[in-house]
Amino acid sequence: MNFNWDVFWQYLLQPSGVYLTGLWLTCLISVLAMLLGCVLGLAAALLRLSRNPLLNLPVRFYVWLMRGTPLLVQIVFLYTALAAGGIFRFEDIDLFGLVIPGNIQAAIIALGLNEGAYMAEIIRAGIGAVDKGQYEAGRSLGMTFAKLMRRIVLPQAFRVIVPPLGNEFNVMLKNTTLVSVIGVQELLLSTQMVTSATFRVFELYLVVAIYFLLLTTLWGFFQRWLEARFGQSDRPSSPPPASTRMFGRSTLNLLRAR
């Protein structure tokens, strides 16, 4: 195998502008799509708690549809099929002087819609893990449903939601490669453009694999910090020393004062 180490190290340590653009777009799409998915997932999870079938059944259908069809099909359908059917076409928009292409809009929305279905089940499981007595205590204090969720239920459910939420973002980073099929110049499509000019396929695809490995590894460190940060109150505290258990803290403080 004719492996060119010079090309490999050059694009790994000194990436071109095309690579940096793809890397930036990959991170941007991942973050925006994940935020959209979290908002949709929270709304869907709360609607799933409703006993009203007019609110409950559409959400069930949305979750069933998004989880039951391939993400690649959803991306192509949203961007290509809707335009071909004359239903909706994503046009470039000018936002505060920044032009956002239609394919990037479609990529964020498609990934966000798909993620929302998974986050709905994750958040619903987190809410279900909160003790029912917490609901009763909040209602006895006269709290509204919104205030009960905001003050009592969701803060406790968040400890359960954080680990799968971190895993979902990890998956989101890798799923951004799928939007290359609609012409979004993320990291994978940027690599394909460079390989078509240099013909160094093996070296450049190895570089893009390392980039993705680096992104997911960095996120893994942040996820572990996040889990430790929000899981502190769940850790059992160390038992007090034997002297404190026998005589009590106040008695020992008096003895030390003398």
Side-chain angles (χ1 to χ4, degrees):
M1 181 178 64
N2 184 20
F3 188 88
N4 192 323
W5 286 100
D6 293 335
V7 172
F8 172 75
W9 289 116
Q10 176 187 349
Y11 281 94
L12 181 65
L13 302 178
Q14 297 178 338
S16 63
V18 175
Y19 259 104
L20 293 177
T21 300
L23 183 63
W24 161 249
L25 200 53
T26 292
C27 296
L28 181 64
I29 291 174
S30 299
V31 172
L32 293 179
M34 194 69 202
L35 289 175
L36 177 60
C38 289
V39 172
L40 292 175
L42 177 60
L46 294 178
L47 289 175
R48 283 287 299 269
L49 298 176
S50 173
R51 297 180 181 178
N52 187 343
L54 295 178
L55 300 176
N56 195 313
L57 292 179
V59 173
R60 288 178 178 270
F61 175 78
Y62 159 69
V63 173
W64 169 75
L65 180 65
M66 291 294 106
R67 297 182 67 183
T69 54
L71 176 56
L72 183 59
V73 174
Q74 296 169 18
I75 294 171
V76 176
F77 182 86
L78 190 68
Y79 182 69
T80 306
L82 291 183
I87 300 172
F88 181 78
R89 182 183 299 274
F90 285 92
E91 303 288 350
D92 297 353
I93 60 173
D94 190 338
L95 187 64
F96 304 110
L98 178 65
V99 178
I100 304 177
N103 57 352
I104 294 180
Q105 301 170 44
I108 294 171
I109 293 174
L111 291 173
L113 285 172
N114 180 270
E115 187 59 39
Y118 289 92
M119 286 305 303
E121 295 301 294
I122 291 172
I123 295 174
R124 188 170 69 91
I127 293 174
V130 179
D131 187 82
K132 299 301 179 184
Q134 302 288 328
Y135 294 87
E136 297 172 1
R139 291 192 185 99
S140 66
L141 294 173
M143 287 186 175
T144 62
F145 178 79
K147 192 173 184 180
L148 175 65
M149 285 291 164
R150 188 175 69 254
R151 294 285 186 86
I152 297 178
V153 178
L154 289 179
Q156 297 182 66
F158 194 65
R159 298 190 185 99
V160 180
I161 295 170
V162 165
L165 171 65
N167 294 334
E168 285 297 311
F169 186 74
N170 201 330
V171 174
M172 177 68 74
L173 280 169
K174 293 176 283 189
N175 281 344
T176 55
T177 57
L178 298 177
V179 301
S180 61
V181 299
I182 59 174
V184 177
Q185 193 180 330
E186 42 68 61
L187 195 52
L188 179 62
L189 186 57
S190 298
T191 304
Q192 292 173 348
M193 294 171 61
V194 176
T195 56
S196 64
T198 62
F199 301 102
R200 307 308 305 186
V201 178
F202 184 81
E203 294 89 339
L204 295 178
Y205 276 103
L206 181 59
V207 168
V208 77
I210 293 173
Y211 280 164
F212 273 108
L213 187 61
L214 179 62
L215 287 175
T216 54
T217 301
L218 291 175
W219 173 253
F221 286 123
F222 180 74
Q223 180 184 348
R224 281 194 287 273
W225 174 84
L226 203 62
E227 291 177 11
R229 172 68 179 82
F230 286 95
Q232 284 179 352
S233 59
D234 293 336
R235 297 176 181 175
S237 57
S238 57
S243 58
T244 303
R245 293 199 301 269
M246 291 177 62
F247 302 106
R249 194 179 301 276
S250 59
T251 304
L252 289 175
N253 289 336
L254 277 173
L255 291 174
R256 292 191 187 101
R258 290 180 182 178

